[in-house]
Amino acid sequence: MTGSGRYHHKAATRSIDEDPTSPISRVSTAEGRSIRQRPAGPGEVRISIDNGRSPVIPGEDDTDTASTGSDRRNAFRRRGKRMTASRNYQNPTKIIGAEPGISATQEIDLELYARCEITLVDYGMEDMMTTELINETLPEFLARPRPKWATVRWINVNGLSWDVIKCLGQYKALHRLAIEDIMNTHSRTKTDWYADHALIIMTLQKLVHLDTSGHDYGKKKQRSWYQNVFDVPDAVDSEDESIPEVWGHTEGTDSRTIQTLQRYHGGPSYERILFMERNSSLAQKDYAVAVEQCSIFLCDDNTVISFFERSADDIEPPIMARLSSTNTLLRSSCDGSMVVQAIIDAIVDLCFPVIHAYQDTIGELELSVLTDTSLHDTQRLYILTSELALLKTTIQPLTGIINALRDHKRDVTRKGSNTISQLTSVGISPITHTYLGDVQDHTIVLLETVETMKRSADNLTYVVL
């Protein structure tokens, strides 16, 4: 099972039982820490709190404290779990004023390790060679010279691990800002251009079947009679200390932990994340939307390096099938930018099942509102609208990166011209420019469909109110 892609500096302060992959970071006050206080001034009343104990006010009657002290302490602890002040809002991946970027040549103490599945493909017009590698065997293989007949090299990495990122960063001299972007798994969707390579960052989202067997997340608690009668959603236990893992799989892949749409955009409120997950518009059908970051490097020597957190198995097989046949355009073109186009196209295609699932859900909700409105319909509409808004924020930037790639078209007929394509030595071929237009059409269709569903949900909200 690969890592989630989050990394932390070991020097950061964390509680003992904190999960480093959890999207929530909690810190607790160290016991025995001395705090200097100035002497109390005339007329001042000093209130002290010692490690979460009840506040003691000088002069308060001790007998009253003894009678209600237990209740006060319990109430204080319960409130503490809901108080946002007890959470750490500092980003452990950022140090204020630090040098920007992460160099692949420096030694960094990071907690980012995963058993990566690495597929390296060398191919040309006449031959093709595929090599399966892991973390330990990657450096030795990259030390060998690239075959002369290999026009294109594609390195596909499933999992984020610092040793693999460092090795590939040194192999292609990747820019320090680019390395930092791929390690920060919440980077915005964009395309960055450097001297001899380009970085494309995308947010991959796919529809997965929830695997509830053998995992705590899938165990449904017994609903009370009023929840069934009044269609009240499942509550969230505020006494939970951590967010349970969510397991899911797509067709033809093994079940593994996923990062849901709600967790990716959820923020620090873990109670809200659990509530939105368990009452999601797709949860009743045992579906969820898995979200992760995908990073793609296009180098000037027709080398393509792609990083996936978990979902390389959904992208790699169809592309490998096309590369195995000499009759396909992907193989005959012998162009690295066409491999990039194929990866982007596959990521966009994964969005269509997600959109179709939400279309089915909003159709059922529309019938429920128009025929037999319940009190719970307003809440269901709110959750649906918020999820559609998150889908829009993920799909909308795709048109921008496609336009950025098409602007860097390699044009050998206009030598010496001051165009965008001449500013760097890396770009896309004319044939890739053409087929990226087809991907852009698909992206626009997805975006228009989400907009239509969002307007329908808003109209239903007016009907319920």
Side-chain angles (χ1 to χ4, degrees):
M1 181 177 68
T2 60
S4 63
R6 296 182 181 273
Y7 67 100
H8 302 266
H9 294 277
K10 286 186 177 179
T13 303
R14 295 197 309 269
S15 60
I16 296 177
D17 56 350
E18 178 188 352
D19 183 4
T21 62
S22 173
I24 298 172
S25 180
R26 300 186 183 87
V27 295
S28 58
T29 305
E31 295 185 3
R33 180 179 298 174
S34 61
I35 302 175
R36 289 187 177 181
Q37 296 181 349
R38 62 178 178 84
E44 287 187 355
V45 177
R46 185 65 54 81
I47 299 177
S48 62
I49 299 177
D50 184 14
N51 295 330
R53 297 176 184 173
S54 302
V56 179
I57 303 177
E60 186 180 29
D61 188 4
D62 294 338
T63 58
D64 179 67
T65 304
S67 61
T68 60
S70 178
D71 295 337
R72 290 180 180 179
R73 285 194 295 270
N74 292 335
F76 182 81
R77 292 193 183 100
R78 287 195 297 270
R79 289 198 304 269
K81 293 183 180 180
R82 297 182 177 90
M83 290 169 57
T84 56
S86 65
R87 292 168 181 161
N88 181 18
Y89 296 107
Q90 294 292 335
N91 186 352
T93 67
K94 291 289 185 181
I95 299 178
I96 298 176
E99 186 77 11
I102 299 176
S103 175
T105 59
Q106 68 188 65
E107 294 295 333
I108 301 177
D109 192 10
L110 296 177
E111 296 179 0
L112 178 64
Y113 178 79
R115 296 297 297 173
C116 299
E117 302 170 355
I118 308 170
T119 303
L120 193 146
V121 184
D122 290 319
Y123 71 93
M125 287 293 297
E126 303 297 333
D127 200 359
M128 173 181 171
M129 181 177 67
T130 304
T131 307
E132 300 292 337
L133 302 170
I134 57 176
N135 304 49
E136 293 78 11
T137 58
L138 178 63
E140 180 182 357
F141 186 89
L142 294 180
R144 305 173 187 173
R146 179 171 163 178
K148 295 182 178 180
W149 51 265
T151 309
V152 182
R153 167 168 284 186
W154 176 31
I155 306 174
N156 191 36
V157 182
N158 191 28
L160 289 181
S161 186
W162 169 239
D163 55 343
V164 175
I165 295 174
K166 180 179 180 180
C167 178
L168 292 174
Q170 295 176 351
Y171 171 63
K172 298 307 297 181
L174 301 179
H175 199 276
R176 59 184 297 124
L177 293 178
I179 295 178
E180 183 183 34
D181 286 335
I182 67 176
M183 296 177 67
N184 179 17
T185 55
H186 281 70
S187 299
R188 69 178 182 89
T189 300
K190 63 177 182 177
T191 303
D192 287 336
W193 300 90
Y194 303 99
D196 55 356
H197 59 275
L199 170 64
I200 302 101
I201 293 183
M202 304 177 61
T203 304
L204 181 151
Q205 52 188 4
K206 61 181 181 179
L207 186 68
V208 298
H209 297 271
L210 289 176
D211 183 10
T212 59
S213 59
H215 304 293
D216 293 338
Y217 179 83
K219 295 180 180 179
K220 298 182 180 296
K221 297 182 179 181
Q222 185 176 1
R223 292 169 58 89
S224 59
W225 64 270
Y226 64 87
Q227 284 182 306
N228 295 323
V229 172
F230 297 104
D231 198 15
V232 178
D234 294 332
V236 176
D237 186 6
S238 60
E239 301 297 323
D240 291 341
E241 293 293 339
S242 62
I243 298 184
E245 292 182 339
V246 180
W247 290 70
H249 68 279
T250 56
E251 297 295 338
T253 61
D254 297 331
S255 180
R256 60 182 64 192
T257 57
I258 63 172
Q259 184 173 209
T260 62
L261 182 70
Q262 294 77 14
R263 297 190 183 204
Y264 189 83
H265 300 280
S269 177
Y270 80 106
E271 292 182 354
R272 180 186 181 276
I273 292 174
L274 286 179
F275 180 85
M276 297 296 283
E277 278 184 346
R278 294 173 179 174
N279 299 280
S280 171
S281 303
L282 305 180
Q284 295 181 353
K285 301 179 181 180
D286 288 335
Y287 281 103
V289 179
V291 183
E292 67 181 72
Q293 179 175 293
C294 169
S295 306
I296 310 170
F297 286 97
L298 174 62
C299 304
D300 58 353
D301 62 346
N302 263 352
T303 297
V304 178
I305 305 175
S306 54
F307 290 92
F308 294 88
E309 295 183 59
R310 302 174 182 86
S311 300
D313 293 339
D314 298 288
I315 304 296
E316 182 181 302
I319 298 178
M320 290 294 295
R322 293 166 60 187
L323 290 176
S324 300
S325 175
T326 57
N327 297 326
T328 60
L329 179 64
L330 183 61
R331 173 68 180 276
S332 60
S333 63
C334 292
D335 179 19
S337 62
M338 278 297 294
V339 177
V340 174
Q341 185 272 342
I343 297 174
I344 297 176
D345 188 28
I347 292 176
V348 172
D349 288 342
L350 285 177
C351 294
F352 279 97
V354 176
I355 300 302
H356 295 161
Y358 275 100
Q359 283 180 317
D360 187 26
T361 301
I362 197 172
E364 295 176 355
L365 184 56
E366 189 173 20
L367 289 176
S368 175
V369 170
L370 297 178
T371 58
D372 186 15
T373 304
S374 64
L375 296 176
H376 184 39
D377 286 337
T378 303
Q379 192 172 48
R380 295 173 60 191
L381 284 170
Y382 172 80
I383 295 176
L384 176 62
T385 304
S386 64
E387 291 176 352
L388 293 177
L390 296 180
L391 291 178
K392 179 182 177 181
T393 59
T394 305
I395 298 174
Q396 192 169 21
L398 296 179
T399 57
I401 68 169
I402 294 175
N403 287 330
L405 289 172
R406 301 187 80 192
D407 288 341
H408 284 74
K409 175 183 176 182
R410 293 197 302 261
D411 191 355
V412 296
T413 62
R414 302 179 61 184
K415 295 183 179 180
S417 60
N418 189 20
T419 60
I420 296 179
S421 61
Q422 302 297 326
L423 297 180
T424 60
S425 59
V426 60
I428 66 169
S429 62
I431 189 172
T432 304
H433 180 276
T434 301
Y435 282 90
L436 279 175
D438 180 65
V439 181
Q440 189 174 38
D441 292 340
H442 296 167
T443 304
I444 294 174
V445 170
L446 289 171
L447 188 59
E448 290 177 347
T449 305
V450 173
E451 287 283 3
T452 302
M453 288 191 294
K454 195 172 183 302
R455 285 195 297 268
S456 299
D458 292 337
N459 294 334
L460 289 175
T461 304
Y462 296 137
V463 173
V464 172
L465 296 178

